[in-house]
């Protein structure tokens, strides 16, 4: 019988840790027999949220951590990504689909997550993002 992976992964605020995040998500997919076709959209959302936490939340301060929490129920994946940053006001994030922002190299992560996931919510402080993805 397969060992159940932990629900929480804590990483340092460096981009190289995304590889550990991918392995963590993959372990949940294997354990819960999630459809392979769902892996890429799920990992895309999780990696976008994690990268935002590393770069914008923790300002790439390797002393700070990002906590990733995954809970799988049937074909529903619930995710929470929390950093140690000061947080932000999601309403002040520029719309990446606005003509003035189309050529910007950054600023699409939240838009991508909202286009794939459901129940996308930030905590009041703005340093924790949660969302759900249905995989069928």
């Amino acid at each position: 019988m397969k060992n159940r992976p932990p629900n929480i992964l804590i990483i340092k605020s460096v981009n190289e840790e995304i590889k550990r995040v991918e392995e963590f998500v993959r372990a949940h997919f294997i354990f819960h027999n999630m459809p392979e076709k769902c892996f890429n959209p799920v990992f895309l959302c999780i990696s976008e949220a994690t990268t935002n936490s590393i770069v914008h939340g923790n300002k790439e301060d390797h002393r700070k951590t990002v906590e990733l929490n995954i809970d799988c129920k049937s074909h529903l994946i619930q995710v929470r990504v929390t950093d140690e940053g000061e947080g932000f006001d999601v309403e002040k994030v520029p719309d990446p689909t606005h003509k003035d922002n189309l050529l910007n190299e950054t600023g699409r992560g939240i838009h991508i997550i909202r286009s794939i996931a459901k129940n996308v919510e930030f905590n009041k402080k703005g340093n924790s993002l949660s969302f759900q993805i249905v995989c069928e």
Side-chain angles (χ1 to χ4, degrees), residues 12-25:
K12 294 179 205 164
S13 289
V14 293
N15 283 319
E16 293 78 23
E17 292 278 84
I18 295 297
K19 184 69 181 153
R20 287 185 56 216
V21 172
E22 183 177 2
E23 292 165 358
F24 178 70
V25 175

Side-chain angles (χ1 to χ4, degrees), residues 19-99:
K19 184 69 181 153
R20 287 185 56 216
V21 172
E22 183 177 2
E23 292 165 358
F24 178 70
V25 175
R26 177 67 65 195
H28 280 274
F29 263 72
I30 292 168
F31 183 81
H32 294 284
N33 294 315
M34 303 297 282
E36 181 61 29
K37 68 179 182 179
C38 209
F39 181 81
N40 284 340
V42 167
F43 181 64
L44 175 60
C45 289
I46 291 172
S47 65
E48 286 290 340
T50 304
T51 299
N52 281 349
S53 284
I54 290 170
V55 174
H56 302 295
N58 289 343
K59 311 280 191 236
E60 298 183 84
D61 181 343
H62 67 277
R63 296 166 297 183
K64 293 183 178 180
T65 60
V66 175
E67 179 179 298
L68 172 60
N69 188 308
I70 293 181
D71 189 21
C72 297
K73 293 181 177 138
S74 183
H75 288 287
L76 175 70
I77 298 175
Q78 298 181 109
V79 177
R80 186 175 64 245
V81 179
T82 306
D83 60 59
E84 295 184 77
E86 295 178 13
F88 74 108
D89 182 351
V90 70
E91 300 302 321
K92 293 183 179 176
V93 174
D95 178 357
T97 64
H98 187 274
K99 64 181 175 73

